[in-house]
Amino acid sequence: LAAVAEKGAHNVLVYDADYSYGEGNSYNNFELMEHYSDYVSELNAEKSEVWNEIREVIKYFNPDFVGISILSVTKKSAMKIIKIVKDFNSAIQIVVGGPHVTLQPDDFVDYADYVIQGEGEYVINDILANRVHNGVVKGKIVENLDLLPFPATHLLYRLEKYHKRDLSLLMSSRGCCYSCKFCNSSTLWQRKIRKKSVGYFIEEIKRLQETYGICDFYICDDSFSTDREWLRVFCERIKHLNITWKCLD
């Protein structure tokens, strides 16, 4: 999303409030689940270093818009961030998106200026240019993922503090053709898989390898191995790169 906004001539900063910039602990996705109690304890701590850092970043960048991606488990912290932003400058417009508001948009219509329901790449620049009315904004399905720019890793706040493992997460597709009861993927992605072409995905990997020296990647698709022919071509081409990789499937 940041890459699309940057391509639209906007000045963008990507800030991960969950990341520890050299102080405290830095957890991977699995460790985050194990340390959820840390998140809960910090949530109501008004003088927490997390909230103070968010205030500092908002003051440093002084944005016109703040976008927040929301999971159901981060709903309360998202509301806290919105309050911090509005307390700093009530004129800053809040844009929220992500799985939770896609499924439950009404939860944030009273807190955010814009609530993106679904994929945001084709609507974000209209929002930033004030060409869209406030409220719930229906996202548009990106049918061809090769038309999207590569993720804007270079826009990360304090990029030099990131571990290589934290820059190694990739997605080659969106969606899943199954409808498991424990998973919301079919609701989010309409039970359809859209994949990047092998060539485009390989180029994304090569850029991360050449720019940041990343040699171990984690592919976190919902259904990475469903297309066997795509996977065969990918495996044939990826073995020529000096990297290792693993996938969620």
Side-chain angles (χ1 to χ4, degrees):
L1 206 60
V4 172
E6 183 185 41
K7 195 172 181 179
H10 298 285
N11 186 20
V12 184
L13 178 72
V14 179
Y15 169 62
D16 184 355
D18 288 327
Y19 197 78
S20 176
Y21 297 93
E23 301 171 4
N25 296 315
S26 177
Y27 301 130
N28 61 32
N29 286 345
F30 297 106
E31 291 168 341
L32 281 172
M33 291 187 288
E34 296 172 359
H35 291 270
Y36 182 70
S37 60
D38 293 347
Y39 163 76
V40 174
S41 66
E42 290 290 306
L43 189 59
N44 297 315
E46 188 63 31
K47 300 299 182 179
S48 165
E49 292 181 9
V50 175
W51 307 128
N52 288 336
E53 182 179 88
I54 291 172
R55 294 184 183 97
E56 292 171 3
V57 173
I58 296 298
K59 182 178 180 180
Y60 158 74
F61 195 63
N62 194 26
D64 298 309
F65 291 81
V66 168
I68 307 172
S69 181
I70 304 173
L71 302 172
S72 295
V73 293
T74 61
K75 173 184 172 181
K76 290 186 177 180
S77 59
M79 290 180 173
K80 178 79 171 183
I81 293 171
I82 290 172
K83 184 178 185 305
I84 289 173
V85 172
K86 290 295 189 178
D87 285 346
F88 172 75
N89 182 354
S90 61
I92 295 175
Q93 297 190 69
I94 303 294
V95 183
V96 297
H100 182 82
V101 299
T102 292
L103 301 177
Q104 300 288 339
D106 290 346
D107 284 355
F108 279 85
V109 292
D110 294 331
Y111 299 92
D113 299 281
Y114 300 93
V115 178
I116 300 178
Q117 191 176 26
E119 297 174 53
E121 285 88 354
Y122 285 163
V123 298
I124 187 62
N125 282 324
D126 286 335
I127 290 173
L128 298 179
N130 293 308
R131 294 193 292 263
V132 178
H133 293 297
N134 288 19
V136 177
V137 180
K138 298 289 186 179
K140 300 177 182 179
I141 295 291
V142 181
E143 294 290 351
N144 186 351
L145 299 180
D146 286 9
L147 296 180
L148 296 178
F150 292 124
T153 306
H154 62 285
L155 297 179
L156 281 167
Y157 174 72
R158 298 185 71 179
L159 173 60
E160 74 282 356
K161 296 292 185 179
Y162 276 76
H163 300 294
K164 289 182 180 180
R165 74 174 187 182
D166 300 313
L167 302 177
S168 69
L169 299 179
L170 300 168
M171 288 187 71
S172 72
S173 68
R174 294 180 180 180
C176 177
C177 59
Y178 301 106
S179 185
C180 301
K181 290 184 178 180
F182 59 82
C183 180
N184 62 14
S185 180
S186 61
T187 305
L188 293 173
W189 307 113
Q190 299 184 355
R191 203 171 174 180
K192 178 182 178 182
I193 300 175
R194 289 161 287 139
K195 294 192 74 71
K196 299 172 183 175
S197 67
V198 172
Y200 189 83
F201 190 48
I202 291 289
E203 182 61 28
E204 182 178 342
I205 292 172
K206 288 172 63 177
R207 288 195 179 199
L208 289 170
Q209 182 187 30
E210 294 167 0
T211 305
Y212 304 108
I214 301 169
C215 296
D216 184 34
F217 293 88
Y218 182 61
I219 303 169
C220 51
D221 293 27
D222 288 335
S223 297
F224 180 68
S225 64
T226 303
D227 187 334
R228 297 299 179 89
E229 177 58 21
W230 188 98
L231 184 60
R232 184 193 65 78
V233 176
F234 172 77
C235 290
E236 178 63 30
R237 294 188 59 178
I238 200 70
K239 69 183 182 182
H240 299 293
L241 301 181
N242 186 27
I243 67 166
T244 56
W245 61 277
K246 50 187 170 291
C247 66
L248 172 69
D249 198 31

